[in-house]
């Protein structure tokens, strides 16, 4: 059994890509490993959210993760800002994080390019906070995509540096979690290869979308004029429809339309109707739970309190030892 940590972005509705690419695996993992899932609200401050939005965003994400199957009894599900030990470790790691290595980070360079008016120290030290998030629980596995590999390498660097500096084998090395199943990438409805919340409107289907919205979005998905030769190559937008169908429909339904494409009898209108209905069927129980949980403030409080307690329990043990190792002593 590994100790697993994963941060969850604290803004934006969850879409089908998030579900099939991440949450489905989290749900499975939580019963097989010691999992810490946290909502990264400290991280979100680099974009300066309005105070009235901060809590609402955290609540929305918490509700949707619970609705999608995260089990607060099995995993430790907590809000980052409920665990101040993280900020202490962040501060301590910052003392040995060097400007040069932080500036070389690809994600930082990208931010500098994209938002030249808001290059704050929080962005520069983002990998340090991420390292603190992970090693505060002495985690060994982090379920991340390829884009986070560099940050994870930095987390190993900071953990190693601490161990070397104090001549102690204290922090374990965190590595990417390899899911046993192949990673699924859910395509967008606008022909792009990835469903994403910040892409074109209509690209993503959210778990909270109602049936009317789902039908409208799917019926508008990009298609071509149809196959003209048997077994012909499929253009990207058609491949996308099939990938989406594979995720949400029965295998027989998928085979039926696959066959229909290959023998040129396919009607995209029928295929889209089928996909829309299958997404609606898939989303229905999650959507129902989203509505139910979001109006149950006492349940949310219970979940947040329970997560806070479990996370602080683990984090304060680490910080206590770190303080001793560094040489802080009480008078
Ligand atoms: P994001 O909401 O973009 O921060 O994504 C959170 C996580 O959801 C990512 O780290 C991926 O694991 C997963 N994810 C996001 N979009 C997709 C997608 N289109 N297909 C599969 N997984 C995705």
């Amino acid at each position: 059994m590994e100790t697993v940590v994963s941060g969850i972005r604290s803004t934006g509705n969850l879409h089908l890509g998030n579900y099939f690419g991440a949450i489905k695996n989290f749900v499975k993992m939580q019963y097989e490993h010691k999992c810490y899932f946290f909502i990264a609200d400290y991280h979100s401050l680099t974009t300066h959210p309005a105070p009235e939005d901060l809590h609402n965003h955290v609540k929305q994400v918490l509700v949707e993760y619970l609705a999608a199957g995260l089990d607060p009894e099995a995993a430790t599900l907590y809000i980052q800002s409920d665990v101040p030990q993280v900020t202490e470790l962040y501060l301590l790691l910052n003392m040995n994080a060097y400007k040069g290595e932080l500036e070389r980070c690809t994600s930082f360079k990208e931010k500098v390019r994209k938002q030249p008016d808001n290059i704050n120290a929080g962005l520069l030290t983002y990998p340090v906070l991420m390292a603190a998030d992970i090693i505060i629980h002495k985690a060994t596995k982090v379920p991340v995509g390829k884009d986070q590999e560099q940050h994870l390498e930095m987390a190993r660097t900071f953990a190693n540096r601490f161990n070397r500096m104090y001549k102690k084998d204290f922090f374990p090395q965190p590595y990417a979690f390899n899911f046993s199943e192949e990673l699924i990438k859910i395509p967008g409805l606008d022909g792009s290869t990835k469903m994403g919340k910040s892409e074109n409107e209509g690209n993503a289907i959210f778990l909270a979308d109602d049936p009317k919205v789902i039908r409208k979005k799917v019926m508008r998905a990009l298609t071509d004029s149809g196959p003209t030769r048997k077994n012909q190559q499929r253009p990207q937008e058609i491949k996308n429809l099939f990938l989406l169908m594979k995720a949400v429909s029965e295998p027989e339904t998928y085979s039926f339309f696959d066959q229909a494409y290959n023998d040129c009898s396919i009607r995209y209108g029928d295929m889209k109707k089928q996909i829309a209905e299958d997404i609606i069927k898939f989303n229905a129980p999650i959507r129902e739970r989203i509505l139910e949980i979001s109006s149950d403030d006492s349940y949310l409080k219970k979940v947040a309190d329970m997560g806070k307690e479990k996370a602080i329990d683990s984090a304060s043990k680490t910080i206590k030892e770190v303080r001793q190792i560094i040489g802080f002593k009480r008078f």
Side-chain angles (χ1 to χ4, degrees), residues 9 15 17-18 20-22 65 145 184-187 194-197:
R9 217 175 283 236
H15 52 68
N18 296 134
F20 288 103
Y65 270 87
I184 294 178
K185 186 159 90 175
I186 300 292
K194 193 174 170 201
M195 185 174 279
K197 60 177 176 289

Side-chain angles (χ1 to χ4, degrees), residues 6-23 25-26 65 143-148 179 183-188 193-199 203:
S6 183
I8 297 168
R9 217 175 283 236
S10 66
T11 51
N13 287 81
L14 295 173
H15 52 68
L16 288 177
N18 296 134
Y19 182 82
F20 288 103
I23 303 167
N25 293 316
F26 290 178
Y65 270 87
V144 288
K146 267 225 138 359
D147 54 330
Q148 289 286 329
F179 297 105
L183 273 186
I184 294 178
K185 186 159 90 175
I186 300 292
T193 55
K194 193 174 170 201
M195 185 174 279
K197 60 177 176 289
S198 51
E199 312 300 324
N203 163 298

